[in-house]
Amino acid sequence: MKEIQEIIKAFEHAQQSGQKSALATVVQVDGSSYRRAGARMLVTEDGQLTGAISGGCLEGDALKKALLAIFQQENKLVTYDTTDEDDLKFGVQLGCNGIVHILFEPINAESPFHPIDFLKQLASERQNAILVTLFSISGQQQPGTALLLRDTLESTLAVEQQDQLLPILEKSLQGKRTGVETGVLNDPSLNALVEFIPPAVSLVIAGAGNDAQPVVNMASLLGWQLTIVDGRPTHAVQSRFPKADHVLLLKPEQVLAQVPVDEQTVFILMTHNYNYDLALLKLLQQQETPYIGILGPKSKLNKMFTELQAQGINWTSEELEKVYSPLGLDIGAETSEEIALSMLAEIKAVLSGTTGASLRYKTTSIHSKPPDAGKETLPLNK
């Protein structure tokens, strides 16, 4: 979501300065590549690039293709074949060993449903969304970004075409999957990139101590929405956390009334106040958050659950699965910055459905995930 937010800002700046722009989208990848389908980059006519479609090896040529699309005001699909070890087309051996298909769409700001408009809409609310981009590898027809589904559906397509896509959209939304559907809308040459896009991660940090500051600073680089809650007026001060979206002076029982919780909302309890953490943990039991991290040793967690059990509050095995304490990945962290890195890496792994293990031990491709691990590029018609 951070890349989308930055593209939106860059487009608005380009509009203010009178610069035309084009959106480059990775719509399909065959084999290995640095970025997967759904990666985006905004190109303005003065050569500014926002976002990324590769590790840097394709951006130079992509700039030329984007400027051509802007000049001709026509969607264009470009295929980059990086499987040839003697690849001299881009002046560098890419080594990715994959084929990357990128769609370039010039942005007409006067159009009611241009690609950036769709991106603005999906970023405006905390809802799961499906974004559809139509393209053709073998044909000349390149419809581009054409449909956004949230609680409502908005599209440049005719109603009957929308109806044809609905089963695919529902399957993607229910499975939280991104994939490419081939031969859509009764056209064997037309493909659809169907993206599942969740809201940005919302990180709620209970505790406004000094050790929360590096957590906020690092999480802001990821584009996460950041909320600090604390009961101490001397600590819950916005100036102490300039990169946080909200710094709230709250008692534990006030938190859930002020902070919306959804499946992309995660919590870290690090107030260094046992009773505050315990009270908030009790309130989070039945919330849909996938992650509750509690700073401190295992003995602290055991004491918490013993006290809750004495109050007649018993956690199911499913509820216990979302509690992480001691929190963080085992990276040998010692300083507050290293501990923050450990925390955020664990949260990212949990949200991605991965283990956080070293990639050197992975026997499948880098981007592959378990079947139930959220966003993944898979054929939707199989």
Side-chain angles (χ1 to χ4, degrees), residues 255-313:
V255 171
L256 295 182
Q258 296 290 322
V259 180
V261 180
D262 55 37
E263 59 186 11
Q264 284 287 102
T265 304
V266 297
F267 286 81
I268 295 178
L269 310 187
M270 52 185 300
T271 64
H272 301 280
N273 181 323
Y274 177 84
N275 291 326
Y276 193 109
D277 287 353
L278 178 64
L280 187 52
L281 176 63
K282 177 180 176 181
L283 295 171
L284 293 176
Q285 180 183 8
Q286 296 182 354
Q287 297 297 315
E288 61 177 330
T289 173
Y291 181 96
I292 305 169
I294 304 174
L295 187 66
K298 182 69 73 174
S299 58
K300 174 185 175 181
L301 180 67
N302 292 337
K303 181 181 178 181
M304 285 179 153
F305 282 122
T306 298
E307 290 195 24
L308 291 175
Q309 195 171 33
Q311 299 174 32
I313 301 172

Side-chain angles (χ1 to χ4, degrees), residues 353-364:
T354 62
T355 63
S358 176
L359 287 173
R360 70 180 292 179
Y361 300 116
K362 194 164 186 176
T363 57
T364 56

Side-chain angles (χ1 to χ4, degrees), residues 211-255:
D211 56 349
Q213 291 173 333
V215 180
V216 171
N217 293 337
M218 290 185 188
S220 69
L221 292 174
L222 301 174
W224 293 3
Q225 295 179 3
L226 300 168
T227 301
I228 304 287
V229 298
D230 199 297
R232 297 168 291 181
T234 55
H235 287 62
V237 180
Q238 185 73 53
S239 60
R240 284 173 47 79
F241 301 94
K243 294 184 179 180
D245 298 285
H246 306 285
V247 179
L248 306 174
L249 178 64
L250 298 173
K251 297 178 180 179
E253 59 270 20
Q254 298 173 318
V255 171

Side-chain angles (χ1 to χ4, degrees), residues 12-52:
E12 292 174 345
H13 183 267
Q15 287 293 104
Q16 293 170 2
S17 59
Q19 294 283 325
K20 295 179 181 179
S21 58
L23 184 67
T25 304
V26 178
V27 291
Q28 185 171 319
V29 174
D30 303 313
S32 176
S33 72
Y34 186 84
R35 297 297 306 272
R36 306 302 291 173
R40 290 180 170 81
M41 180 176 73
L42 186 78
V43 181
T44 58
E45 61 180 330
D46 62 351
Q48 295 297 312
L49 308 178
T50 303

